[in-house]
Amino acid sequence: MATAENKQEGNNSTYETLKALYYSGKVKPSLNKIIPALEEDPKNLELNLLACQVLERTKDFDRLSNYADALIKLSPEKSDGYYYKGVALQFVKGKEQEAVRNFNKALEIDPENLLCLKSKATTHMLLFKDFDLPIKFADKHRVKAETSLLKIVGLVEQMDKPSYQDLYILAEVNMMMEQALNAKMFYLKAVNAYEETDPSEQDKNIYKDIIKAQKKCIKQLEKFTE
């Protein structure tokens, strides 16, 4: 019994250490350590989930697809595996519909998953812009994209204290809806929320994304005012 408990403590320690490394902004070094750790403990759900997070960021969609399959097998009752499977497929030509099916499965399990709603909207927009798709079908994807985006807006507005991740997603949604002025405000709120977050939960990778997107948004607004 003590051995099993010690092993679990060791697994938790490994996960927390690798999570901290990834959150510090060291993406590839963390991935180089996560993969061997998973080879030793392939059923470690937290490490599989962390691997998917890192692989999404590095855009290694082939490996992401494999680890998403592992997540689904390990925990089919959770939304994460289906979300990451959708992410792995959404930019693959001809696989967009399969990506949507995975996002829909994730949303059946977790209807208020903001990341999933945003990725689903992105995929519908890709299909809407697909010149090979008949107009009547393409327009249906436009409507579905707008529905997902508006749902995100409604969900975040209902939150008492949205996290920096939530506010960043909302800012991105406003950019997708061509509402750059609103987006600028939410990028700023995301930065403030990040600074108020416990250091152990501050993902510097997301923070860098926020700052980069904020600068892009400001440049776009400057063009409108020239």
Side-chain angles (χ1 to χ4, degrees):
M1 186 68 175
T3 303
E5 289 177 356
N6 291 339
K7 183 178 179 181
Q8 183 61 43
E9 287 179 8
N11 290 344
N12 292 340
S13 176
T14 299
Y15 166 73
E16 292 298 336
T17 299
L18 292 174
K19 176 186 170 185
L21 182 63
Y22 171 59
Y23 273 30
S24 73
K26 296 177 181 177
V27 179
K28 289 187 177 179
S30 64
L31 183 61
N32 289 338
K33 292 187 177 183
I34 292 167
I35 301 304
L38 271 172
E39 288 175 355
E40 291 184 10
D41 187 12
K43 293 185 179 180
N44 189 313
L45 187 61
E46 289 183 320
L47 279 177
N48 269 283
L49 183 55
L50 187 59
C52 286
Q53 285 181 267
V54 183
L55 289 166
E56 179 183 14
R57 179 160 294 279
T58 60
K59 301 186 186 302
D60 188 342
F61 296 126
D62 288 338
R63 280 207 289 178
L64 176 59
S65 181
N66 292 333
Y67 281 96
D69 287 337
L71 268 183
I72 293 170
K73 187 175 180 180
L74 286 169
S75 187
E77 76 283 359
K78 292 187 177 181
S79 64
D80 303 296
Y82 304 104
Y83 164 71
Y84 284 112
K85 187 69 177 181
V87 170
L89 296 172
Q90 69 182 135
F91 296 112
V92 180
K93 182 67 175 175
K95 295 287 186 178
E96 299 95 341
Q97 294 283 8
E98 189 178 345
V100 169
R101 284 194 292 273
N102 277 279
F103 291 137
N104 285 339
K105 178 65 177 177
L107 289 166
E108 284 176 16
I109 298 168
D110 183 7
E112 298 184 358
N113 186 317
L114 300 186
L115 272 175
C116 195
L117 284 165
K118 178 176 172 287
S119 291
K120 175 176 158 67
T122 299
T123 311
H124 282 303
M125 287 304 296
L126 288 170
L127 288 164
F128 168 61
K129 295 175 182 179
D130 187 345
F131 289 108
D132 295 328
L133 206 63
I135 293 175
K136 64 178 182 179
F137 293 119
D139 199 53
K140 288 181 179 179
H141 288 291
R142 177 189 61 79
V143 172
K144 289 178 179 179
E146 289 178 356
T147 300
S148 292
L149 294 175
L150 290 172
K151 184 171 182 179
I152 292 171
V153 173
L155 287 169
V156 179
E157 285 179 348
Q158 292 171 13
M159 295 178 183
D160 292 331
K161 191 175 180 180
S163 68
Y164 68 89
Q165 296 100 323
D166 299 328
L167 290 165
Y168 173 48
I169 291 170
L170 183 56
E172 293 285 275
V173 165
N174 275 274
M175 287 297 288
M176 291 172 72
M177 296 170 67
E178 299 182 351
Q179 296 179 4
L181 195 59
N182 284 343
K184 179 185 175 183
M185 175 182 65
F186 289 118
Y187 285 128
L188 181 59
K189 287 186 175 183
V191 170
N192 292 337
Y194 177 89
E195 292 172 350
E196 294 171 1
T197 300
D198 186 281
S200 65
E201 293 302 321
Q202 289 179 334
D203 184 342
K204 287 186 179 179
N205 303 295
I206 295 178
Y207 179 74
K208 290 176 184 177
D209 289 343
I210 295 170
I211 298 301
K212 184 178 179 180
Q214 187 179 40
K215 290 177 179 178
K216 183 179 178 181
C217 175
I218 291 170
K219 284 184 179 179
Q220 185 168 327
L221 285 169
E222 287 173 348
K223 288 181 181 179
F224 290 138
T225 56
E226 285 178 355

